[in-house]
Amino acid sequence: MGHQPGIKGMLTGEENLRFFYPQHSQPSLWQALAAVGLAGYEDVPVARLSAGQQRRVALARLWLTDVPLWILDEPLTALDVAGVDMLTQRMEHHVTQGGIIILTTHQPLRPRTQKIRCIQLVPEE
């Protein structure tokens, strides 16, 4: 997932998820949207959602994927405190299941129960 949400504004949240996961049923797509706090917004065109809600539509893909490696570029962008907590919990769950996450962020991550290796880049002076 890149810095931009990578979703189509004219499509609904459900339609955006169906593009990436056509094998999933409507209930599983709706469950993914509910998991990111978008229950009731399944059929609203994404262009009508706030930036944070659009980011949540993109992040809902993490509830549908079964790939072990996630590469996330600024996944916390445009998320409120509840959204950051929700995503952090999902990332922790993924790691406890044996997954690996490589991410970039300018925001501090909350204290974690999982071991993490951080590489911090400091600009040259």
Side-chain angles (χ1 to χ4, degrees), residues 17 21 23-34 60 63-64:
L17 293 180
Y21 299 99
Q23 72 279 16
H24 282 272
S25 67
Q26 181 190 45
S28 68
L29 299 176
W30 284 31
Q31 287 172 356
L33 290 168
W63 274 257
L64 297 168

Side-chain angles (χ1 to χ4, degrees), residues 14-111:
E14 178 190 347
E15 291 168 337
N16 271 283
L17 293 180
R18 185 168 306 288
F19 175 80
F20 289 100
Y21 299 99
Q23 72 279 16
H24 282 272
S25 67
Q26 181 190 45
S28 68
L29 299 176
W30 284 31
Q31 287 172 356
L33 290 168
V36 296
L38 292 176
Y41 293 90
E42 301 88 357
D43 59 353
V44 175
V46 170
R48 293 182 39 203
L49 301 177
S50 70
Q53 290 170 321
Q54 290 180 19
R55 172 62 73 180
R56 287 172 183 249
V57 170
L59 291 171
R61 297 187 304 233
L62 298 178
W63 274 257
L64 297 168
T65 188
D66 59 358
V67 298
L69 174 62
W70 295 355
I71 301 174
L72 308 173
D73 181 19
E74 294 290 342
L76 307 176
T77 299
L79 292 180
D80 58 11
V81 173
V84 170
D85 188 55
M86 169 266 310
L87 178 56
T88 303
Q89 287 180 35
R90 180 64 181 133
M91 290 189 299
E92 287 175 347
H93 175 75
H94 180 66
V95 171
T96 62
Q97 300 301 306
I100 299 170
I101 302 170
I102 298 172
L103 71 96
T104 62
T105 184
H106 290 97
Q107 300 179 31
L109 298 172
R110 71 175 192 181

